């Protein structure tokens, strides 16, 4: 096991309350948080992990990972460019789609450096502060994607349930305001997270379970009470992702009720068909997320590779699937992409 250096807090003065933590063969003095919020021991860096038990195959797994990143970055960039240059796509639905593509690109860029370094170069070390930044970005962009999916469900609700007021409800100003609100919610809600972790002493180990930094994984390494972190993490999960899921479900209940009131079967199918891409994107995002939460909370005795696999699916699959889903299921996107690349073929 690699040697880990710690910056130790000063020994307590006489009469001060103190504890001693055992780290290997060393005894590390620890001061209560009241004596200094960040006056705790931290490793200089963390060690990332690929897939436990498959370390010898990391170089082979690097190929598929590179393909996934190429599809995610290339596909979402193409959609962003298509919405930008094609006037027929300057509508609320496609503006929200471009926001979704941007969040997918940002998520991929947040994980790409450490994932490829771990699998391609076997370079597992990441600085403590860099890990905090990556943790914040991953969770922020994930929450941003959830908020955008909620906004897209609102777009579908207005388009189907109140089509006459669609253009007046979802103006460019309203769309821009929704985008700003989604971004602000993500960053403001998760801003305390790095500081909540930084107040915890880390002295058990510096080895993380993934090839990127996540808050649930990092706080397991703390040798102090993590109740506040756990409660705040649960609060964030319920108040953002949970509420987003509830309102998405509610919007589709209302959409279904409105569609069932349409007399023509052909018109009912036409209305529902406009929601298929969004429903698939919602499933691609929330099903892996629910799976990760269930495994982390109830699968404590499951093999480590199951935890790692579920987390990888949650982070890597949505950015790959979203451009494929919208390119395959939305003919306006397909036509715009064809028109965009036609001059290149000529």
């Amino acid at each position: 096991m690699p040697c880990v250096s710690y910056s130790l807090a000063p020994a307590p003065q006489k009469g001060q309350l103190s504890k001693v933590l055992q780290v290997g063969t060393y005894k590390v003095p620890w001061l209560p948080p009241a004596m200094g919020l960040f006056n705790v021991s931290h490793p200089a860096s963390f060690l990332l992990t690929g897939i436990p038990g498959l370390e010898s195959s990391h170089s082979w797994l690097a190929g598929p990972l590179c393909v996934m990143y190429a599809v995610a970055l290339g596909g979402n960039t193409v959609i962003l460019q298509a919405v930008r240059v094609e006037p027929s796509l300057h509508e609320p639905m496609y503006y929200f789609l471009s926001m979704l593509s941007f969040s997918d690109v940002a998520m991929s860029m947040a994980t790409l450096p450490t994932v490829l370094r771990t699998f391609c170069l076997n370079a597992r070390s990441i600085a403590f502060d860099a890990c905090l930044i990556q943790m914040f970005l991953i969770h922020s962009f994930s929450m941003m994607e959830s908020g955008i999916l909620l906004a897209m469900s609102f777009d579908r609700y207005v388009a189907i349930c109140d089509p006459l007021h669609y253009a007046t409800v979802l103006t460019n100003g309203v769309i821009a305001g929704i985008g700003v609100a989604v971004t602000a919610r993500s960053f403001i809600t998760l801003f305390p997270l790095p500081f909540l972790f930084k107040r915890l002493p880390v002295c058990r180990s510096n080895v993380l379970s993934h090839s990127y930094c996540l808050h649930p994984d990092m706080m397991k390494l703390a040798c102090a009470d993590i109740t506040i972190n756990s409660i705040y993490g649960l609060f964030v999960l319920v108040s953002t992702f949970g509420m987003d899921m509830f309102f998405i479900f509610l919007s589709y209940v209302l959409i279904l009720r409105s569609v069932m009131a349409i007399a023509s079967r052909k018109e009912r199918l036409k209305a529902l068909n406009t929601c298929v891409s969004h429903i698939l994107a919602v499933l691609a995002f929330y099903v892996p997320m629910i799976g990760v939460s269930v495994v982390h909370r109830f699968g404590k005795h499951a093999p480590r590779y199951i935890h790692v696999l579920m987390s990888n699916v949650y982070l890597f699959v949505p950015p790959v699937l979203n451009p494929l889903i919208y390119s395959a299921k939305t003919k306006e996107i397909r036509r715009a992409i064809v028109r965009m690349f036609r001059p290149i073929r000529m």
Side-chain angles (χ1 to χ4, degrees), residues 271-309:
L272 289 175
N273 190 54
T274 63
C275 302
V276 171
S277 298
H278 179 253
I279 292 173
L280 293 176
V282 168
L283 292 176
F285 179 78
Y286 283 109
V287 170
M289 187 189 73
I290 293 171
V292 169
S293 300
V294 170
V295 168
H296 270 290
R297 296 184 185 280
F298 303 108
K300 295 181 180 179
H301 300 294
R304 281 185 62 198
Y305 70 86
I306 297 295
H307 293 258
V308 174
L309 180 62

Side-chain angles (χ1 to χ4, degrees), residues 167-178:
T168 57
V169 171
L170 288 173
T171 62
N172 289 343
V174 170
I175 295 170
I178 291 174

